[in-house]
Amino acid sequence: MSTRYLQVAGHDVSGDHYIDGQRIPGKTRFELHCPIDQRLLGTISEGDEEHIEAAIQAAQRAFATWSLLSAAERLPYLERFADEIGKRAEALCAVESNDAGVLLSRMRHGVVPRAKLNITWFARHALELQHRPIDTDQAHHIVKHDPAGVTVIITPWNSPLMLSTWKLGPALAAGNTCILKPPEWAPLTCSLLADAAHAAGLPPGVFNVVQGTGARTGARLVSDFRISRISFTGSVPTAKLIAQSAAANLVPCSLELGGKSPFIVLEDADLDSAAATATLMYRNAGQVCLAGTRLLVHKNVVDQFVIKMRALVDQLVVGDPRDEATEVGPIIHPRQVERVKGFVDRAVACGARLLWGGQPHSFGPQYFQPTLVTDVAQDDEIIQNEVFGPVLTLQTFSSDDEVVSKANGTDYGLGGICYGETSHAQAIAERVRTGFIWVNSFGIRDLAAPFGGIKRSGIGREGGDWSFEFFCDVKDVVIPKKPFRASFSHR
């Protein structure tokens, strides 16, 4: 069977798997629709038992040689991989915008440069992990980071390119071989990644892509005893299923599961800056795990804050994400639109009040109005559960203790944002139980820093040494400083 290609925005994209350095078509296929206008983009191969077995065997064979290379020897391969991503920048931008509804401007100026950096940064950082000496009175310890084995990577539909490369970078740099299972609603840039890896000369089997649904393809991959690591970003229910499968084989999992992050506006905050940042939470149609979706505003400034934010929201451009002027694009799938609308409708039915939005947008059936819901209680569903759409909630507070209590009053703990006089905001930030929190800022990231959440927001950290701690088996080579003589004497 010949490889099938989809034509997306003038670019050829394979709809088939990439296994052991070759394109492999599937016997069964599923349809892929564009979230912008619901047109059919094409059909995608679905991974079955045969494809999964072939991918695992290929990754095992490749691991035997890839794992023996030093970090310095793997570096040229990964630098070429990043270069090939750069050469495909326009295709990656156009395809992900059509496939996932992501803003084209965000792809060009943020995602693709970050995708390249994800590969090169970790490849170079791996050079520092080869030997880490620890000296004690008794011995000289050499701490080594050995490759763990075959790694399964499962990424979500809201940012498939960036999140795939963020995991692939350290996994490959550590010497692991990888099987990537793309999101079924937005798999196409992961397919283009396979083209980039192939052109870069990554040995066959080092990087494989098996497409399909989570229930069928993903479930089979994570339950295999030959898998050494699983890295997943997505929903809590799916993570629980993955963890159950992995537990049967004692496979370590890294789980990044989204959030319900607080956006705190203290009485001494710069309200113009805070309102502008809060409006950013609607970007990517609110489909961002680290967005501050729960606005917690001091009661003495809430009226001013709402007026300032409303003026900015009224100026937001909702429309085609391929237009550089667009600021809010579509929701990924009709099922997700129904989910978002259901949250809002149920909140209103229970007494919540809409300050703006609350309905599907006139631009198209997969667009939803930027929405702000208030008069909600702490235990309401819309406060406690992740909506993952352009929907924010507004609560007020009158004291530091009250805002900390509300900020910590969900089962999530991924991120947060706190606006106020710097020392005051920092003091509050240190009391919020979360994986990270921005003070008077948003979106500042560094690959050397840890990323991840607590509670239902996940297990583990990504970034810097934390990524390698997960993707490696850490080994301590102990060399005594004095001649060692074994003795069975207990005296």
Side-chain angles (χ1 to χ4, degrees), residues 189-243:
T189 44
C190 293
S191 182
L192 290 176
L193 272 182
D195 293 339
H198 190 85
L202 261 66
V206 168
F207 173 43
N208 308 273
V209 178
V210 180
Q211 301 169 138
T213 63
R216 183 179 180 186
T217 309
R220 172 63 181 84
L221 274 170
V222 300
S223 64
D224 196 282
F225 70 95
R226 293 165 291 183
I227 301 304
S228 297
R229 293 291 188 274
I230 300 168
S231 181
F232 169 75
T233 298
S235 71
V236 172
T238 301
K240 289 180 178 179
L241 296 174
I242 290 173

Side-chain angles (χ1 to χ4, degrees), residues 26-177:
K27 297 174 184 176
T28 59
R29 304 179 74 86
F30 58 93
E31 291 186 345
L32 184 66
H33 294 265
C34 175
I36 301 170
D37 53 17
Q38 296 75 56
R39 72 186 185 282
L40 179 67
L41 293 174
T43 60
I44 305 297
S45 291
E46 181 164 16
D48 57 22
E49 188 73 27
E50 176 186 350
H51 304 114
I52 293 165
E53 182 64 25
I56 293 174
Q57 289 191 18
Q60 285 186 306
R61 287 193 300 270
F63 181 76
T65 52
W66 182 252
S67 63
L68 295 180
L69 298 179
S70 67
E73 290 170 323
R74 287 190 288 265
L75 179 61
Y77 288 99
L78 298 177
E79 287 184 328
R80 288 196 299 271
F81 187 17
D83 288 342
E84 291 295 334
I85 290 172
K87 291 176 184 177
R88 290 162 174 76
E90 277 307 306
L92 290 165
C93 291
V95 169
E96 189 153 303
S97 188
N98 279 269
D99 191 23
V102 179
L103 297 179
L104 187 62
S105 59
R106 177 172 174 262
M107 291 297 300
R108 284 178 174 159
H109 305 299
V111 173
V112 171
R114 168 68 185 276
K116 290 180 58 181
L117 184 63
N118 284 339
I119 303 299
T120 57
W121 191 93
F122 285 106
R124 292 164 187 164
H125 191 63
L127 299 173
E128 304 173 17
L129 299 175
Q130 291 308 290
H131 300 286
R132 290 193 170 182
I134 299 174
D135 281 313
T136 68
D137 292 340
Q138 291 183 307
H140 181 69
H141 299 254
I142 299 174
V143 180
K144 298 193 66 182
H145 289 71
D146 291 341
V150 178
T151 297
V152 168
I153 293 171
I154 303 177
T155 52
W157 42 259
N158 61 316
S159 191
L161 175 64
M162 196 283 286
L163 292 174
S164 294
T165 54
W166 195 11
K167 299 171 186 293
L168 284 170
L172 293 173
N176 296 344
T177 54

Side-chain angles (χ1 to χ4, degrees), residues 54 60-61 140 156 161 171 188 209 277 297 314 404 426 445 460 464:
Q60 285 186 306
R61 287 193 300 270
H140 181 69
L161 175 64
L188 297 184
V209 178
T277 303
V297 184
D314 286 345
V404 169
Q426 183 178 347
R445 300 288 304 282

Side-chain angles (χ1 to χ4, degrees), residues 165 257 385 401 480:
T165 54
L257 309 179
N385 295 319
D401 287 345

Side-chain angles (χ1 to χ4, degrees), residues 437-479:
I437 186 166
W438 286 289
V439 173
N440 294 326
S441 59
F442 174 70
I444 298 173
R445 300 288 304 282
D446 193 299
L447 289 180
F451 176 89
I454 64 173
K455 299 187 285 187
R456 290 177 68 195
S457 287
I459 298 172
R461 294 292 182 269
E462 298 182 74
D465 290 353
W466 293 271
S467 286
F468 286 101
E469 292 293 314
F470 172 72
F471 286 116
C472 294
D473 289 325
V474 180
K475 178 168 63 182
D476 181 17
V477 179
V478 184
I479 304 170

